[in-house]
Amino acid sequence: MSKLVSVLTSNWEKSDSFTISGYQRDGGYKALEKALKMKPDEVIQLVKDSGLRGRGGAGFPTGNKWGFIPQGDNKEHYLVVNADESEPGTCKDTPLLMANPHVLIEGIIIASYAIRANHAFIYIRGEIVHVVRRVQQAIEDAYKTKLLGKNILGSGFDLELTLHAGAGAYICGEETALLDSLEGFRGQPRLRPPFPAIAGLYAKPTVVNNVESIASVPAIIDNGVAWFTSMGTEKSKGFTLYSLSGHVKNPGQIEAPLGITLRELLEIAGGIRAGHKLKFWTPGGSSTPIFTDQHLDIPLDYEGVAAAGSMLGTKALQIFDETTCIVRAVLRWTEFYKHESCGKCTPCREGTWWLVQALADLEAGRGSEADLDKLLDLCDNIAGRSFCALADGAAAPIISSLKYFRAEYLQHLQNGGCPFDPVAATLFQGSLT
Amino acid sequence: MSSANFTSEQITKMDQIIARYPRSRSAVMPLLHYVQSIFGYVTDEGIEFIGKKLDLATAEVNAVASFYTQYKRKPVGEYHIGICTNTLCAVMGGDAIYSALKDQIGSEHDGVSADGKVSLEHIECNAACDYAPVMMVNWEFYDNQTVESAKEFVEKARTGNPPAPTRGPKKLRTWKENSEVLAGFSDGLANEGISAGKASLLGLSKMKNSGNN
Ligand SMILES: Cc1cc2nc3c(=O)[nH]c(=O)nc-3n(C[C@H](O)[C@H](O)[C@H](O)COP(=O)(O)O)c2cc1C
Ligand code: SF4
C-alpha cells in the first residue's frame, strides 16, 4: 500500500488523540510557533505555493482565497470554518473532528493570523453532539493554555474562537447561506458578488473554508511546500481523505495522495461485498454525477474526475452493487433535495417538487418513455437557472443515471413497478427473510 | 410575557450566549437550542423571550425557528430516535429499520410513543456513511444498526436503560441535556468514548499492517 499516507489521520488510533496533551505530545502546535514567526503575507504565499485546494467541494485554491482579503482596510476580518458536513455520502470532517479537533484549531489560528482576523467561528452541524463536545473541549483547553485569546505565544496576535452549532439544514453548508445563518437569519444563499472576501460575515471581509482544508495547513507549514507538492498530481497537490461507504467489504476513511483510483481504494476496502459486483458510485457525494464500473481507473483528482464528466466534490465514494435499484436511489436523493431546497428561488423550489413526482411515478411503473425526456427537460430548467449550486446537485443524479441506466428506468415501465427486491440490497439480507 | 418564567440562572446563561457574538442577533440559534434544553422543545414563551432579549419581533424569531428541522415545536420523547433514510443508509437497511420502529413505537413521523419515552423521525445523511445503517438517538451515534438492534434499543430505552452510543459518552444523555450542549454549554463528557471507530481507521490500519510508514 505504498500509496497511503497518514497526516490528518496519524494519531487517530491513540485513545487520547483528541486531548490537548495527546496532540502536543505528538508534535501538535509546533507549526503554529513556526507560522507566528513568519509574516502573515509569507504564510499566505506558502499556502498558495503548496497548491492546497479547498476540500469542501469546489476545489478553490486556499491560498488565493486568503489573498483576496483586502489588507490595511481598517475593518474587522473573519475566518469561518465550514463544519456543516451534510452532503450525502460525506463523512470525513466528522471523524476528523472527533479524533483530532486540535489540528483544526491549530489551522484556524494560523489562517486567522495570515488573513489578519481576530475572531474566528466554527459553524458545526448540530446533529452530532459528541463531535460538538470534542470541539468545545478543545477550544476550552486551547484558551486555558493561552493558544487562544490575547497575545498568543507572545506574538502580539489575539484571536477569539466561537463554536456555533447549526440546527439541521443542508443548505447552511453553502457558504453564503451559512453566513446568513450565523448572523441569525434563515439560512438562505446570498447574491454574489459581493463575495465573502469583500462582504462576508457582518458585511466584513471573510474567508470561509472547509474543516479539512484548514486542518491541512499545519502539516504544510511544518513540512514545507516541497513535501506537500511531492504528493498528488500536477494540479491537485497533496493528500486528502477519501470516504468509502456502501456495498464494500470494509467501508471507511482512507488518506491518500490525490489521484488514487477507485480500483486501488477498493483493494484497500477489501473489494465489493462478497458475491456481488460494482454497479454505480458517486465520486464526491450525491451532488456529483454518478460513475459506473467503466470508471474504476479514473484518477480521483479535480481534473481527472472533471474530464470524465463528474466532480471530485467531497471525495465521498458511495458504492452500490447490482442489487440496488437506480430509480429508487435517485428518487431518494431527489426527495432529499426537495426537502432541503431553501425555497428562495422558483426553479429549485418548484422544480425539485416536480422531479420527485415524476420519479415516484416512474418507480411505480406509471408513465411512458416520453416521461424520461420530460425529466431531462425539467433538469434543464433547474440546473444552471437557479440561485445556488444545490439545484445543480439535484439534477446531477438524474441526468447521469439516465445516461448510464436508461434501460433500467424503462424496465420499471415494462414491469409495472420496481423489478428489484429491496431486501437483497440490505446488509442484513439473510436475517430479514 | 415576563421573565418570571425563567430563573435568574437561566437568564444569566442566555446572556452568556449573547456575549459570544460581535452582534447579538447571531445568538438566536444557540438561544433556541437553549430553550429546547429547558422545555424539550421550542415553546411560544421561549420564542417571545428570545425576541425580547435580542430586540427582535416574535415573527422574526419564529421565522428562524421554523427554518431548521432540529427545532421542534412540540414535545419529543426523552429519547428521540432518528433513522437515516437517505439513499445509502436506506438501501443498506435504513428503510427496513425505520418501518420496524414505526410499528413498534406506533407513531408516525415526529410522533411520540404513548409513554412519552421514545419518539421517531427519519433523518437525512448524518455524516457516518461508513457506519451505515445509522441511527441517532438524541443526536448521538448508534452505528451499524440492524432491525433487531434498533428494536432492542427501543425496548431498553422504555425501561430507562438505553444502551450507550457507539461513538459517544458512556451513558446516553437525555434530549434536554444534549440540547444544552448544542447551546454551547459543556457537560464535561468530551473525554468519554473512543477516538475513532473501526471504519475511521481503515486506511491507517492498512498502512500500519503493511509496514509502510
Ligand atoms: C448546497 C451546498 C452545500 C454545501 N455544503 C458544504 C459543507 O457541508 N461543508 C463544506 O465545507 N462546504 C460545503 N459547500 C461548499 C461551500 O459553499 C464552500 O465552497 C466551501 O465551504 C469552501 O471551503 P473550501 O474552499 O475550503 O472548500 C456546500 C455548497 C453547496 C452549494
Ligand atoms: S437553488 Fe434552491 S437552495 Fe439554492 S437558493 Fe434557490 S431555492 Fe434555495
Side-chain angles (χ1 to χ4, degrees), chain A residues 14 126 134 164 182 186 202, chain B residues 21 26 63 70 95 190 192 195:
Chain A
K14 298 185 182 162
R134 288 265 161 95
H164 183 94
L182 185 51
R186 295 162 76 90
Y202 310 127
Chain B
Y21 297 93
S26 287
Q70 264 183 296
D95 276 357
E192 291 189 5
S195 298

Side-chain angles (χ1 to χ4, degrees), chain B residues 109-152:
Chain B
H109 187 81
D110 253 22
V112 189
S113 66
D115 58 9
K117 280 280 180 197
V118 284
S119 48
L120 177 68
E121 72 173 314
H122 63 78
I123 58 172
E124 299 299 354
C125 183
N126 222 86
C129 315
D130 45 350
Y131 296 93
V134 173
M135 172 168 89
M136 304 300 294
V137 184
N138 297 344
W139 306 115
E140 303 282 4
F141 279 134
Y142 287 76
D143 300 322
N144 301 116
Q145 290 298 298
T146 62
V147 170
E148 291 74 28
S149 66
K151 283 168 84 170
E152 189 188 328

